[in-house]
């Protein structure tokens, strides 16, 4: 029997506000444990939470960017449960009246577009962090993260494969980064994803029972865990068994999921409206002012790049995946107006460099000015495309201008025909047998000669002139 996966993602994005959601404590990361705390976020009796307006602004940005319907009146609710990282015994979240609903995000896989529905976006507070010492029978609790603002973005079960899940998650991350509301870092936990996975016989309507996967702290793990879960559930159904609804933990070392707990139901949390917080009223003016402050978003930029710079979809998607890279591209093109050439460099050597150094485009050791000047040197024939790669690496190392490097290392391209003729004669004189074969019709040997000449000139000979001279000298 053929099965079809059904997947919905719940994403928690930590908002980049300076202070927490209901108190003035700092949200900055890495402080000594329990130093960013106050009676409010420690949940002392009698204290009152006050909503941070920035949290609403940031959430509205996301809601608008994903085309959600924004509720003019939403509410905070208490989600009650006991855990040592939750000092109040409840988490302030939103339940029946979230701030935003009915949105969507568009993804594209190999040119195929697909729309993934967003069920809801709501605001909530983060919990504290537990630490465990393997050598001592104790757990340590740090409340610095308690009360740090999160938005939860819940997707419709519209996703049908691990690859679509990855594409959706990347698109969401790209949006929160464009909006500058979240770091989007899965590894460090500022952007977290739970995946709900079920399968059903192909071309049936009813959803199967789902498992919720946790501990997916990289894009690779998200896709791997969903893959694994799909095959696990297939196996169960093929053997006539039943999938149980539960929460499962991904183990990135063993590459499998294992049961963590049976799935809790909403009514177990005894949600009720938080009596300490007023309903949140958002008027059109507020929404309009946030709308006006939004930057150009990834999809808009992608479309503009295709039109304005006549770039292929692949290039436009690559360049617009991060705002940083897109800005870098546009700065380069301003100085060297050959978009496709700039794009090729950014997708090639430039990306390789950033990946190797773990840097973003704005942190690149090669400035857009210097890259544009390098491309200009190639364009003017001062250096060859091959030498340009060497100069680029040197720029990354030393930060020097390309002109300076070309001058210091004597890399200027040799375009002097008589100088090239001299080298060609030498090389031909050294290889009489190959010359005979060439003349006898083995014209593929041209590449061999070009290689020899490039070696002799350390790559500096102008390739076109080399080709012309070679052909001329080997005639008859
Ligand atoms: P909960 O809060 O208990 O996790 P929700 O109803 O909010 O439950 O759903 C959470 C996520 O699970 C959503 O992203 C939704 O799309 C997804 N989902 C719901 N039912 C299924 C299913 N049968 N298979 C896969 N995903 C599902
Ligand atoms: Mg859930
Ligand atoms: Zn506090």
């Amino acid at each position: 029997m053929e099965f079809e996966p059904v997947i919905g993602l719940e994403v928690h994005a930590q908002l980049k506000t300076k202070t927490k959601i209901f108190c003035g404590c700092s949200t900055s990361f890495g402080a000594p444990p329990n130093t960013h705390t106050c009676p409010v976020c420690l949940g002392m009796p009698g204290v009152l939470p006050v909503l941070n307006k920035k949290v609403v602004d940031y959430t509205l940005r996301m809601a608008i960017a994903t085309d959600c319907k924004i509720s003019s009146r939403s509410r905070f609710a208490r989600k009650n449960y006991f855990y040592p990282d939750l000092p109040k015994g409840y988490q302030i979240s939103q339940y029946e009246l979230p701030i935003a609903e009915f949105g969507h995000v568009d993804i594209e896989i190999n040119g195929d577009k697909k729309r993934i529905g967003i069920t809801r976006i709501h605001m909530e507070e983060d919990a504290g962090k537990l630490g465990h010492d393997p050598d001592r029978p104790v757990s340590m609790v740090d409340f610095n993260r308690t009360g740090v603002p999160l938005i939860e973005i819940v997707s419709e079960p519209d996703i049908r494969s691990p690859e679509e899940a990855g594409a959706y998650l990347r698109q969401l991350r790209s949006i929160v980064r464009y909006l500058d509301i979240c770091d989007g870092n899965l590894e460090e936990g500022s952007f977290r994803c739970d995946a709900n996975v079920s399968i059903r016989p192909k071309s049936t309507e009813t959803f199967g029972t789902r498992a919720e996967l946790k501990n997916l702290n990289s894009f690779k793990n998200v896709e791997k865990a969903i893959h694994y879960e799909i095959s696990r559930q297939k196996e169960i159904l093929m053997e006539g068994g039943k999938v149980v609804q539960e929460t499962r933990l991904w183990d990135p070392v063993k590459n499998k999921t294992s049961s963590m707990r049976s799935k809790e139901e909403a009514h177990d949390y005894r949600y009720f409206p938080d009596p300490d917080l007023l309903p949140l009223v958002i008027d059109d003016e507020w929404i309009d002012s946030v709308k006006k402050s939004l930057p150009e978003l990834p999809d808009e930029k992608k479309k503009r790049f295709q039109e304005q710079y006549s770039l292929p979809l692949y290039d436009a998607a690559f360049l617009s995946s991060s705002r940083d890279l897109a800005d870098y591209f546009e700065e380069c093109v301003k100085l060297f107006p050959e978009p496709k050439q700039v794009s090729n460099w950014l997708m090639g050597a430039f990306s390789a460099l950033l990946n190797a150094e773990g840097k973003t485009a704005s942190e690149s050791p090669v400035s857009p000015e210097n890259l544009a000047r390098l491309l200009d040197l190639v364009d003017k024939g001062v250096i060859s495309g091959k030498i340009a790669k060497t100069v680029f690496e040197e720029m990354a190392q030393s930060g020097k201008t390309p002109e300076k490097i070309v001058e210091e290392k004597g890399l200027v391209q040799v375009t002097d025909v008589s100088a090239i003729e001299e080298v060609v004669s030498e090389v031909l004189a050294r290889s009489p047998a190959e010359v005979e074969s060439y003349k006898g019709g083995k014209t593929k040997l041209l590449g061999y000669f070009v290689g020899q000449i490039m070696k002799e000139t350390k790559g500096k000979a102008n390739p076109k002139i080399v080709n012309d001279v070679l052909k001329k000298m080997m005639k008859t």
Side-chain angles (χ1 to χ4, degrees):
M1 192 194 290
E2 266 209 79
F3 290 102
E4 172 183 63
V6 172
I7 301 158
L9 300 187
E10 293 166 89
V11 171
H12 286 91
Q14 210 175 76
L15 298 180
K16 277 167 62 173
T17 55
K18 288 203 178 67
T19 57
K20 294 185 179 180
I21 182 168
F22 298 120
C23 63
C25 290
S26 166
T27 55
S28 74
F29 187 78
N34 300 306
T35 52
H36 292 168
T37 54
C38 74
V40 173
C41 55
L42 287 175
M44 298 292 172
V47 295
L48 286 173
V50 177
L51 179 60
N52 180 345
K53 181 166 177 285
K54 259 269 148 47
V55 171
V56 183
D57 279 328
Y58 283 12
T59 310
L60 286 177
R61 281 194 209 175
M62 190 61 183
I64 294 167
T66 52
D67 233 353
C68 280
K69 183 183 174 300
I70 293 161
S71 319
S72 55
R73 204 180 160 82
S74 71
R75 206 132 122 190
F76 286 96
R78 292 187 182 180
K79 179 178 182 180
N80 301 281
Y81 65 93
F82 172 81
Y83 205 66
D85 65 6
L86 189 74
K88 293 198 297 291
Y90 60 86
Q91 176 196 29
I92 304 180
S93 180
Q94 295 194 296
Y95 186 55
E96 335 97 315
L97 288 174
I99 182 165
E101 290 176 287
F102 315 120
H104 57 81
V105 160
D106 293 334
I107 59 168
E108 199 160 326
I109 297 178
N110 304 326
D112 292 331
K113 283 198 175 128
K114 175 160 179 181
R115 176 158 285 187
I116 308 294
I118 303 256
T119 315
R120 57 187 276 149
I121 298 177
H122 69 246
M123 300 169 279
E124 60 186 29
E125 57 179 350
D126 209 345
K129 214 173 182 164
L130 293 181
H132 308 281
D133 185 338
D135 301 324
R136 288 191 300 156
V138 296
S139 289
M140 290 157 292
V141 63
D142 176 7
F143 289 126
N144 284 349
R145 207 179 62 184
T146 311
V148 166
L150 302 176
I151 50 175
E152 178 170 344
I153 306 151
V154 182
S155 88
E156 287 289 299
D158 289 345
I159 299 164
R160 292 289 172 270
S161 69
E163 295 70 31
E164 281 184 20
Y168 166 77
L169 203 58
R170 283 196 176 83
Q171 183 68 359
L172 269 196
R173 183 178 67 163
S174 169
I175 295 171
V176 296
R177 285 185 168 171
Y178 263 70
L179 296 172
D180 202 21
I181 60 173
C182 168
D183 292 337
N185 196 323
L186 271 83
E187 284 80 5
E188 286 170 16
S190 61
F191 191 76
R192 313 195 273 265
C193 169
D194 299 338
N196 292 269
V197 180
S198 66
I199 58 172
R200 64 181 173 192
K202 228 177 170 127
S203 37
T204 58
E205 289 289 314
T206 327
F207 289 154
T209 307
R210 71 184 147 125
E212 182 170 336
L213 310 183
K214 288 193 180 286
N215 195 34
L216 312 175
N217 55 7
S218 70
F219 284 102
K220 214 168 73 203
N221 281 332
V222 170
E223 295 191 23
K224 271 163 61 178
I226 296 174
H227 260 297
Y228 173 86
E229 186 58 22
I230 293 168
S231 16
R232 188 188 71 88
Q233 294 184 12
K234 266 185 199 163
E235 223 164 273
I236 294 175
L237 296 188
M238 297 294 268
E239 286 167 4
K242 265 195 176 142
V243 175
V244 289
Q245 186 166 340
E246 61 183 355
T247 303
R248 297 180 68 85
L249 211 58
W250 169 247
D251 183 333
V253 179
K254 294 191 185 136
N255 275 321
K256 52 193 267 189
T257 61
S258 58
S259 181
M260 182 167 115
R261 56 168 187 254
S262 71
K263 173 89 190 142
E264 67 285 345
E265 297 290 338
H267 63 248
D268 294 335
Y269 291 119
R270 299 286 191 277
Y271 280 99
F272 66 88
D274 193 306
D276 289 342
L277 286 156
L278 289 167
L280 174 62
V281 176
I282 295 169
D283 56 17
D284 291 344
E285 219 175 299
W286 194 350
I287 297 172
D288 284 342
S289 77
V290 174
K291 230 178 228 167
K292 283 203 194 90
S293 76
L294 290 196
E296 183 182 36
L297 292 166
D299 278 348
E300 294 161 8
K301 212 183 273 286
K302 184 169 73 183
K303 206 154 150 251
R304 179 168 66 80
F305 277 15
Q306 283 176 269
E307 286 162 6
Q308 183 177 343
Y309 301 115
S310 309
L311 288 176
L313 168 67
Y314 183 86
D315 295 49
F318 181 90
L319 295 171
S320 61
S321 64
S322 102
R323 202 168 150 183
D324 243 22
L325 183 63
D327 288 349
Y328 192 104
F329 167 77
E330 292 205 278
E331 261 179 74
C332 264
V333 170
K334 248 186 247 152
L335 303 166
F336 181 75
E338 291 288 344
K340 183 55 185 154
Q341 282 186 45
V342 173
S343 170
N344 287 347
W345 267 85
L346 294 187
M347 295 194 299
F350 184 77
S351 287
L353 170 73
L354 293 187
N355 285 339
E357 304 208 348
K359 288 187 168 149
T360 66
S362 61
E363 298 162 348
S364 160
V366 177
S367 67
E369 291 76 21
N370 280 347
L371 182 59
R373 289 159 81 155
L374 177 68
L375 297 188
D376 206 38
L377 290 179
V378 179
D379 199 50
K380 292 208 173 95
V382 179
I383 55 171
S384 67
K386 194 158 178 245
I387 289 288
K389 294 256 155 59
T390 314
V391 176
F392 180 78
E393 275 158 29
E394 177 71 26
M395 289 199 298
Q397 291 287 319
S398 64
K400 287 180 186 161
T401 64
E403 290 87 351
K404 180 116 186 132
I405 294 166
V406 168
E407 186 202 305
E408 278 180 4
K409 304 216 150 176
L411 297 172
V412 175
Q413 180 160 251
V414 178
T415 50
D416 176 353
V417 178
S418 60
I420 290 177
E421 278 173 349
E422 213 167 290
V423 183
V424 173
S425 323
E426 271 171 41
V427 168
L428 294 186
R430 274 206 314 254
S431 336
E434 283 84 356
V435 174
E436 273 316 302
S437 306
Y438 177 87
K439 287 184 179 169
K442 237 183 140 188
T443 49
K444 267 202 283 186
L445 275 169
L446 194 71
Y448 163 79
F449 292 118
V450 172
Q452 293 293 309
I453 291 153
M454 285 303 178
K455 211 161 138 195
E456 201 71 27
T457 59
K458 299 201 172 65
K460 287 186 294 185
N462 177 298
K464 179 158 182 333
I465 299 178
V466 169
N467 269 284
D468 293 348
V469 169
L470 261 173
K471 282 183 193 156
K472 199 181 76 192
M473 292 180 73
M474 286 197 290
K475 246 190 202 151
T476 66

